[in-house]
Amino acid sequence: MGRPIFKAATPRVSLLCSSCVVAGLSFLFVLAASHHLVAAQDDFVRFSKPDLFTFGELVDLEKNDPPSPALAEKLEHLLNTPFLNNEAYFKGAKPKRPSSPELGPLLRAICWNIERSEPEKFDQVLAEKKDPKTKPLTSDQLKVVKQQLDVLQPADVLILNEVDYGVTRTDYRDVTRDLAKALNMNYAYGVEFLELDPLNLGLEKVELEDKEAQADIQKSFDADKSRYLGMHGTAVLSRYPIRKASLRPLSVCYDWYASEKKEISKLEAGRRKAANVAFMERIAREIRRGGRTALFVELAVPESPTGAVTVVAPHLENKCKPGCRAKQAMQILDWIRTDHNPVILGGDLNTTGTDNAPVSVSKVLTDRVKDYDKWAIQAVKWSTGAPTILFMPVNIMRNKNDPTGFDVPIVSRKKDAKLFEESNKFRFDDGHVFDFRGEDERSAEGRGGTLSDSNQRSSKGFRYTFALAKTYGGLFGEYRLDWFFVKGLATDSRKPGGKYQFAPHFAWTLMELNSGPEESLSDHAPITVDLPLTEPPPLANSH
């Protein structure tokens, strides 16, 4: 397909038919990697998985630190061993291999942080059901959404962050498996965290001044002990068969167990000023075992010079300084330095330039707490770590628009710049590089610039993938958190020319599709990128 012209982001509106939403949300999960390698040489692995925890074992993991040696060993295995399923391949699944006049046959990849994945949204999209409660889009808005849906549907590779398995908030479903089955895709899934908060395990109860709201919210935390598994992580779905998958923990930038437990101690010591305030702090609290990971998946792609494509799906830390995120990124680069395959690295890199990434208030509050604005203000305060008035406007705008440039201390900070600088300088052992060329004719809407061929730019900087509910006209709270880095056959990360097979082209950020329904599909917008499977013809105005 050609290059559709998308209009600027529109205000959130309801979708004429949920099919535009759910067909979009069908495409959501990516990548797992581990020390315990699940490999398939001549024969593909049909299905493999690590041992899961019982509810009683999860309670023990929450209560006891350190855990018993047996539980510690079991936890280590779970956090280093991906689930791998090639069932679709054995049933005859084939890639769609979409094609466009400019590029010929291509591999289209999607990266999407699906915000703890609400499965009913996927079901509506997949089944193309209409929702009579939604309001229609204008004709122009609907046109944009349909164009973006056309981009989304043919994707053969999906990289998904924040994917649940056996968690109350998503009705205990194995979201990766359910989506893979509906889309006829193979998958790998890596567990990042076990969710062990006492609210989730039923060890604490909700306490609010509004008793009606208290009773309603409590229902959202009452766990079914026979189904609760508490897993949360990253997935890669693919119509290409999976040769092997591995899962590797990243260096620790924040201890999600000890640090979150410490906050409880402070509260119990007398910091609770009111029931509502205490509850909001507990909602913001996330007691977990595990840590940030990178999932590595090797796909069998016949058109690749090596016969394979490597997908790398990281989720970098949000509760840390940018320097530690850069350290995690450098760790991933060291792991893939010797990889001779084309590489698609995609995921939520949490590049806010701050110590804490902004987070949305739990959706349960949206529906059940009357004074939502009050909760939203508190969420901004607790998630950013400082009142919004303290942020320097120049720094906010500069980092919001483009975190990839130079970091100028005090005057104009870009604290995540090192992550991009090191990725730009990085060379694989085979002499290839991540493609930063950003040529106009290979970028969406002809907007070139650094990384524009793999990440869509706007009139200023990049199209953001995450925004708070209130952004004050775009001044605050819009961030590009999700990114693609692609290694094709280029040997110079900046210089145009050379080979373009497996090089990134025409990346889109599908904001309108994500925000079309009355309640957005996720708090992150999906991003896409196209990789030509064969050397494409010269493009107009190409060098």
Side-chain angles (χ1 to χ4, degrees):
M1 76 174 248
R3 288 176 283 174
I5 303 299
F6 295 160
K7 296 190 177 181
T10 53
R12 180 182 299 179
V13 288
S14 299
L15 200 56
L16 176 60
C17 62
S18 293
S19 63
C20 295
V21 179
V22 186
L25 256 186
S26 338
F27 300 87
L28 304 172
F29 298 71
V30 93
L31 197 54
S34 134
H35 293 306
H36 301 275
L37 189 65
V38 180
Q41 299 299 330
D42 298 325
D43 299 320
F44 295 107
V45 170
R46 188 158 193 153
F47 179 65
S48 64
K49 66 172 185 145
D51 293 332
L52 309 184
F53 282 81
T54 67
F55 188 83
E57 289 174 329
L58 295 175
V59 172
D60 285 345
L61 283 175
E62 193 283 326
K63 288 184 174 181
N64 300 312
D65 191 39
S68 68
L71 285 185
E73 182 179 356
K74 187 173 182 178
L75 178 63
E76 172 93 7
H77 187 260
L78 177 69
L79 297 176
N80 287 276
T81 307
F83 295 70
L84 176 58
N85 189 310
N86 273 310
E87 194 66 36
Y89 166 75
F90 283 99
K91 290 182 177 180
K94 303 290 183 185
K96 290 188 175 182
R97 295 176 81 250
S99 184
S100 75
E102 296 101 335
L103 303 181
L106 55 91
L107 185 160
R108 179 165 296 159
I110 292 170
C111 176
W112 203 344
N113 181 322
I114 57 170
E115 192 195 7
R116 304 178 181 188
S117 43
E118 295 187 8
E120 64 273 10
K121 292 181 179 178
F122 312 149
D123 294 342
Q124 289 172 356
V125 170
L126 293 169
E128 297 189 358
K129 298 176 182 176
K130 292 185 178 181
D131 184 350
K133 296 180 181 178
T134 58
K135 300 175 182 178
L137 296 169
T138 67
S139 58
D140 286 346
Q141 291 165 343
L142 184 59
K143 181 180 179 181
V144 173
V145 170
K146 285 183 175 179
Q147 286 177 329
Q148 294 186 353
L149 190 57
D150 287 342
V151 171
L152 200 68
Q153 286 180 327
D156 283 318
V157 175
L158 313 176
I159 300 169
L160 307 173
N161 292 125
E162 297 199 18
V163 186
D164 280 351
Y165 181 2
V167 180
T168 309
R169 63 191 170 225
T170 42
D171 197 28
Y172 310 102
R173 291 175 63 174
D174 180 348
V175 176
T176 307
R177 182 198 62 192
D178 291 351
L179 282 171
K181 185 176 180 180
L183 295 169
N184 200 22
M185 285 181 154
N186 311 294
Y187 70 84
Y189 176 66
V191 178
E192 188 176 27
F193 295 112
L194 286 178
E195 304 282 7
L196 303 177
D197 195 279
L199 278 171
N200 295 327
L201 298 177
L203 305 179
E204 286 185 7
K205 297 297 181 182
V206 174
E207 295 180 7
L208 285 174
E209 294 158 3
D210 184 336
K211 297 307 177 185
E212 183 180 350
Q214 173 180 307
D216 200 16
I217 292 174
Q218 182 61 53
K219 296 175 186 177
S220 300
F221 292 99
D222 288 337
D224 182 337
K225 297 179 182 179
S226 66
R227 295 195 290 165
Y228 190 87
L229 299 170
M231 292 184 287
H232 183 67
T234 299
V236 172
L237 276 64
S238 170
R239 291 194 180 88
Y240 294 96
I242 298 172
R243 284 184 170 182
K244 58 186 178 182
S246 63
L247 183 65
R248 292 186 179 181
L250 297 170
S251 55
V252 177
C253 292
Y254 181 78
D255 187 331
W256 284 86
Y257 181 81
S259 298
E260 298 291 290
K261 277 272 194 179
K262 185 178 180 181
E263 290 306 309
I264 297 179
S265 318
K266 292 179 182 177
L267 290 176
E268 296 302 332
R271 290 181 65 243
R272 298 186 179 185
K273 299 177 182 178
N276 287 352
V277 172
F279 177 67
M280 189 60 208
E281 290 183 339
R282 289 158 74 193
I283 282 289
R285 177 194 72 191
E286 295 178 282
I287 297 174
R288 301 160 149 182
R289 292 281 191 183
R292 301 300 183 181
T293 62
L295 177 62
F296 301 82
V297 177
E298 185 173 281
L299 307 178
V301 181
E303 294 87 349
S304 166
T306 61
V309 168
T310 299
V311 179
V312 183
H315 191 184
L316 303 189
E317 187 56 77
N318 63 324
K319 291 195 174 184
C320 70
K321 294 182 178 180
C324 202
R325 281 194 289 275
K327 180 181 178 182
Q328 291 179 330
M330 298 312 101
Q331 191 174 13
I332 294 170
L333 296 183
D334 284 342
W335 288 334
I336 62 176
R337 188 181 299 276
T338 59
D339 198 320
H340 288 192
N341 300 328
V343 174
I344 304 171
L345 189 157
D348 181 358
L349 305 188
N350 275 311
T351 48
T352 62
T354 62
D355 288 4
N356 290 341
V359 294
S360 58
V361 181
S362 175
K363 286 189 175 176
V364 68
L365 297 178
T366 306
D367 299 329
R368 296 178 174 87
V369 177
K370 296 175 182 178
D371 191 0
Y372 180 67
D373 280 344
K374 181 177 71 175
W375 295 104
I377 292 170
Q378 293 299 323
V380 171
K381 173 185 172 184
W382 282 311
S383 64
T384 61
T388 59
I389 194 171
L390 297 182
F391 287 90
M392 293 176 61
V394 172
N395 289 345
I396 295 171
M397 292 301 294
R398 191 166 186 264
N399 193 72
K400 175 183 84 74
N401 290 332
D402 187 352
T404 66
F406 294 105
D407 178 33
V408 183
I410 301 177
V411 177
S412 189
R413 300 311 309 265
K414 292 198 175 201
K415 296 183 179 181
D416 281 302
K418 184 177 180 182
L419 186 157
F420 296 95
E421 291 168 5
E422 295 299 321
S423 299
N424 184 23
K425 293 188 297 184
F426 180 74
R427 296 187 71 84
F428 291 82
D429 283 353
D430 60 10
H432 296 137
V433 294
F434 284 122
D435 199 323
F436 275 62
R437 287 179 285 190
E439 298 169 73
D440 291 351
E441 61 274 11
R442 301 179 189 275
S443 303
E445 300 179 311
R447 288 195 175 117
T450 299
L451 284 173
S452 63
D453 39 15
S454 54
N455 299 274
Q456 186 183 3
R457 284 185 170 268
S458 62
S459 56
K460 292 183 179 180
F462 294 90
R463 288 200 99 190
Y464 60 85
T465 59
F466 176 94
L468 291 173
K470 292 185 178 181
T471 63
Y472 303 98
L475 178 64
F476 170 79
E478 295 175 354
Y479 299 91
R480 180 83 186 189
L481 301 184
D482 308 274
W483 298 87
F484 273 123
F485 295 87
V486 178
K487 170 208 177 191
L489 305 181
T491 55
D492 189 314
S493 65
R494 295 284 189 176
K495 185 178 180 180
K499 295 182 179 180
Y500 286 93
Q501 183 186 12
F502 285 97
H505 287 74
F506 307 134
W508 295 103
T509 298
L510 309 182
M511 293 163 50
E512 289 79 10
L513 175 65
N514 185 66
S515 61
E518 193 134 12
E519 181 182 345
S520 294
L521 301 176
S522 170
D523 58 357
H524 291 243
I527 59 176
T528 72
V529 67
D530 289 349
L531 282 62
L533 292 171
T534 58
E535 184 65 27
L539 299 183
N541 302 318
S542 61
H543 296 273

